PDB file of all heavy atoms in Angstrom:
ATOM      1  N   LEU A  65     239.000  15.990 146.334  1.00  0.00           N
ATOM      2  CA  LEU A  65     239.691  14.857 146.949  1.00  0.00           C
ATOM      3  C   LEU A  65     239.140  14.516 148.332  1.00  0.00           C
ATOM      4  O   LEU A  65     238.914  13.336 148.638  1.00  0.00           O
ATOM      5  CB  LEU A  65     241.194  15.133 147.046  1.00  0.00           C
ATOM      6  CG  LEU A  65     241.960  15.126 145.730  1.00  0.00           C
ATOM      7  CD1 LEU A  65     243.417  15.489 145.977  1.00  0.00           C
ATOM      8  CD2 LEU A  65     241.839  13.789 145.024  1.00  0.00           C
ATOM      9  N   ALA A  66     238.929  15.505 149.169  1.00  0.00           N
ATOM     10  CA  ALA A  66     238.438  15.241 150.529  1.00  0.00           C
ATOM     11  C   ALA A  66     237.080  14.545 150.505  1.00  0.00           C
ATOM     12  O   ALA A  66     236.835  13.627 151.298  1.00  0.00           O
ATOM     13  CB  ALA A  66     238.368  16.540 151.331  1.00  0.00           C
ATOM     14  N   PHE A  67     236.197  14.966 149.603  1.00  0.00           N
ATOM     15  CA  PHE A  67     234.885  14.323 149.500  1.00  0.00           C
ATOM     16  C   PHE A  67     235.040  12.844 149.155  1.00  0.00           C
ATOM     17  O   PHE A  67     234.462  11.973 149.814  1.00  0.00           O
ATOM     18  CB  PHE A  67     234.010  15.013 148.449  1.00  0.00           C
ATOM     19  CG  PHE A  67     232.790  14.204 148.097  1.00  0.00           C
ATOM     20  CD1 PHE A  67     231.699  14.179 148.940  1.00  0.00           C
ATOM     21  CD2 PHE A  67     232.757  13.441 146.940  1.00  0.00           C
ATOM     22  CE1 PHE A  67     230.582  13.407 148.643  1.00  0.00           C
ATOM     23  CE2 PHE A  67     231.643  12.670 146.627  1.00  0.00           C
ATOM     24  CZ  PHE A  67     230.553  12.651 147.480  1.00  0.00           C
ATOM     25  N   TYR A  68     235.830  12.546 148.116  1.00  0.00           N
ATOM     26  CA  TYR A  68     235.977  11.154 147.694  1.00  0.00           C
ATOM     27  C   TYR A  68     236.705  10.320 148.744  1.00  0.00           C
ATOM     28  O   TYR A  68     236.374   9.150 148.945  1.00  0.00           O
ATOM     29  CB  TYR A  68     236.659  11.071 146.327  1.00  0.00           C
ATOM     30  CG  TYR A  68     235.721  11.459 145.213  1.00  0.00           C
ATOM     31  CD1 TYR A  68     235.873  12.645 144.515  1.00  0.00           C
ATOM     32  CD2 TYR A  68     234.656  10.635 144.863  1.00  0.00           C
ATOM     33  CE1 TYR A  68     235.000  13.004 143.502  1.00  0.00           C
ATOM     34  CE2 TYR A  68     233.767  10.977 143.851  1.00  0.00           C
ATOM     35  CZ  TYR A  68     233.952  12.161 143.175  1.00  0.00           C
ATOM     36  OH  TYR A  68     233.074  12.499 142.185  1.00  0.00           O
ATOM     37  N   GLU A  69     237.678  10.907 149.428  1.00  0.00           N
ATOM     38  CA  GLU A  69     238.337  10.186 150.513  1.00  0.00           C
ATOM     39  C   GLU A  69     237.333   9.880 151.623  1.00  0.00           C
ATOM     40  O   GLU A  69     237.348   8.795 152.208  1.00  0.00           O
ATOM     41  CB  GLU A  69     239.526  10.988 151.043  1.00  0.00           C
ATOM     42  CG  GLU A  69     240.696  10.975 150.071  1.00  0.00           C
ATOM     43  CD  GLU A  69     241.827  11.914 150.460  1.00  0.00           C
ATOM     44  OE1 GLU A  69     241.618  12.825 151.299  1.00  0.00           O
ATOM     45  OE2 GLU A  69     242.934  11.740 149.917  1.00  0.00           O
ATOM     46  N   HIS A  70     236.443  10.816 151.913  1.00  0.00           N
ATOM     47  CA  HIS A  70     235.381  10.598 152.899  1.00  0.00           C
ATOM     48  C   HIS A  70     234.463   9.445 152.480  1.00  0.00           C
ATOM     49  O   HIS A  70     233.907   8.743 153.331  1.00  0.00           O
ATOM     50  CB  HIS A  70     234.574  11.892 153.082  1.00  0.00           C
ATOM     51  CG  HIS A  70     233.469  11.782 154.073  1.00  0.00           C
ATOM     52  ND1 HIS A  70     233.688  11.686 155.432  1.00  0.00           N
ATOM     53  CD2 HIS A  70     232.126  11.741 153.908  1.00  0.00           C
ATOM     54  CE1 HIS A  70     232.523  11.587 156.052  1.00  0.00           C
ATOM     55  NE2 HIS A  70     231.567  11.617 155.154  1.00  0.00           N
ATOM     56  N   CYS A  71     234.336   9.235 151.166  1.00  0.00           N
ATOM     57  CA  CYS A  71     233.510   8.146 150.634  1.00  0.00           C
ATOM     58  C   CYS A  71     234.271   6.826 150.544  1.00  0.00           C
ATOM     59  O   CYS A  71     233.718   5.828 150.081  1.00  0.00           O
ATOM     60  CB  CYS A  71     232.976   8.521 149.259  1.00  0.00           C
ATOM     61  SG  CYS A  71     231.754   9.849 149.275  1.00  0.00           S
ATOM     62  N   GLY A  72     235.536   6.814 150.963  1.00  0.00           N
ATOM     63  CA  GLY A  72     236.295   5.570 150.989  1.00  0.00           C
ATOM     64  C   GLY A  72     237.330   5.403 149.891  1.00  0.00           C
ATOM     65  O   GLY A  72     238.064   4.408 149.880  1.00  0.00           O
ATOM     66  N   PHE A  73     237.418   6.338 148.951  1.00  0.00           N
ATOM     67  CA  PHE A  73     238.432   6.247 147.905  1.00  0.00           C
ATOM     68  C   PHE A  73     239.792   6.616 148.482  1.00  0.00           C
ATOM     69  O   PHE A  73     239.890   7.384 149.429  1.00  0.00           O
ATOM     70  CB  PHE A  73     238.109   7.199 146.738  1.00  0.00           C
ATOM     71  CG  PHE A  73     236.947   6.757 145.903  1.00  0.00           C
ATOM     72  CD1 PHE A  73     235.653   7.125 146.236  1.00  0.00           C
ATOM     73  CD2 PHE A  73     237.137   5.966 144.776  1.00  0.00           C
ATOM     74  CE1 PHE A  73     234.574   6.732 145.468  1.00  0.00           C
ATOM     75  CE2 PHE A  73     236.067   5.563 143.999  1.00  0.00           C
ATOM     76  CZ  PHE A  73     234.782   5.942 144.349  1.00  0.00           C
ATOM     77  N   LYS A  74     240.841   6.063 147.899  1.00  0.00           N
ATOM     78  CA  LYS A  74     242.204   6.384 148.300  1.00  0.00           C
ATOM     79  C   LYS A  74     242.956   6.943 147.099  1.00  0.00           C
ATOM     80  O   LYS A  74     242.812   6.448 145.988  1.00  0.00           O
ATOM     81  CB  LYS A  74     242.914   5.142 148.820  1.00  0.00           C
ATOM     82  CG  LYS A  74     242.253   4.585 150.068  1.00  0.00           C
ATOM     83  CD  LYS A  74     243.045   3.467 150.667  1.00  0.00           C
ATOM     84  CE  LYS A  74     242.446   2.851 151.892  1.00  0.00           C
ATOM     85  NZ  LYS A  74     241.300   3.387 152.475  1.00  0.00           N
ATOM     86  N   LYS A  75     243.760   7.969 147.347  1.00  0.00           N
ATOM     87  CA  LYS A  75     244.559   8.575 146.286  1.00  0.00           C
ATOM     88  C   LYS A  75     245.763   7.688 146.006  1.00  0.00           C
ATOM     89  O   LYS A  75     246.457   7.270 146.931  1.00  0.00           O
ATOM     90  CB  LYS A  75     245.013   9.974 146.698  1.00  0.00           C
ATOM     91  CG  LYS A  75     245.688  10.746 145.617  1.00  0.00           C
ATOM     92  CD  LYS A  75     245.975  12.166 146.104  1.00  0.00           C
ATOM     93  CE  LYS A  75     246.613  13.002 145.044  1.00  0.00           C
ATOM     94  NZ  LYS A  75     247.916  12.541 144.600  1.00  0.00           N
ATOM     95  N   ALA A  76     246.003   7.401 144.741  1.00  0.00           N
ATOM     96  CA  ALA A  76     247.147   6.578 144.363  1.00  0.00           C
ATOM     97  C   ALA A  76     248.444   7.347 144.560  1.00  0.00           C
ATOM     98  O   ALA A  76     248.531   8.529 144.230  1.00  0.00           O
ATOM     99  CB  ALA A  76     247.011   6.145 142.910  1.00  0.00           C
ATOM    100  N   ASP A  77     249.445   6.689 145.113  1.00  0.00           N
ATOM    101  CA  ASP A  77     250.753   7.302 145.278  1.00  0.00           C
ATOM    102  C   ASP A  77     251.631   7.097 144.039  1.00  0.00           C
ATOM    103  O   ASP A  77     252.571   7.842 143.810  1.00  0.00           O
ATOM    104  CB  ASP A  77     251.479   6.700 146.486  1.00  0.00           C
ATOM    105  CG  ASP A  77     250.807   7.066 147.796  1.00  0.00           C
ATOM    106  OD1 ASP A  77     250.215   8.166 147.879  1.00  0.00           O
ATOM    107  OD2 ASP A  77     250.868   6.246 148.728  1.00  0.00           O
TER     108      ASP A  77
END
Side-chain angles (χ1 to χ4, degrees):
L65 289 177
F67 167 78
Y68 285 109
E69 287 172 343
H70 180 71
C71 291
F73 288 88
K74 297 187 181 354
K75 187 175 182 297
D77 292 329

